[in-house]
Amino acid sequence: MQIGRIIRRVIRAVVPPMVFLGIAGYFGWNATQGEHGIHAYHQQLGLLAQAQQARQDALTEQATWRRRVNGLKEQSLDGDILDERARAMLNMADRNDIVIPYDRRDPLF
């Protein structure tokens, strides 16, 4: 009978602290490694920075396209520049144009 009391006493003295340490360890591990822990928080911050950069890039590209579209309005078009760009893109020349061929390696000035 004495042995049974000793065993019960040891169990009562050891089991509650072990359960508490187990629960504390579980919550401590989840606070750092879990899906809502510190590491996940830092990953989310990285994704947020990437999303903000992508947004800034999109806004910059949108502003560039707005500027280009506004340049196509009738009030801002210059006939000479339009003619020059059309000829350059189509690789064509007027009969009265003077064409001077040059090599790509030759300087233009």
Side-chain angles (χ1 to χ4, degrees), residues 7-100:
I7 292 175
R8 270 190 245 138
R9 212 183 226 180
V10 168
I11 289 175
R12 285 183 186 162
V14 171
V15 170
M18 292 302 285
V19 169
F20 173 75
L21 287 174
I23 292 172
Y26 171 78
F27 284 116
W29 185 86
N30 276 324
T32 58
Q33 306 294 329
E35 72 180 58
H36 298 292
I38 293 172
H39 291 293
Y41 175 71
H42 289 296
Q43 288 174 349
Q44 291 295 323
L45 286 179
L47 290 174
L48 177 64
Q50 288 176 355
Q52 287 173 340
Q53 183 62 41
R55 179 180 181 270
Q56 186 61 39
D57 293 344
L59 289 175
T60 304
E61 185 176 356
Q62 184 182 29
T64 302
W65 279 105
R66 281 182 200 254
R67 206 170 32 253
R68 291 179 80 180
V69 168
N70 286 334
L72 293 175
K73 291 186 178 175
E74 190 174 340
Q75 302 88 349
S76 63
L77 284 179
D78 184 16
D80 292 335
I81 294 175
L82 183 62
D83 184 51
E84 177 187 342
R85 287 301 302 152
R87 289 177 188 279
M89 292 181 79
L90 296 173
N91 198 19
M92 297 181 70
D94 191 36
R95 291 181 189 190
N96 298 328
D97 286 345
I98 299 173
V99 178
I100 302 172

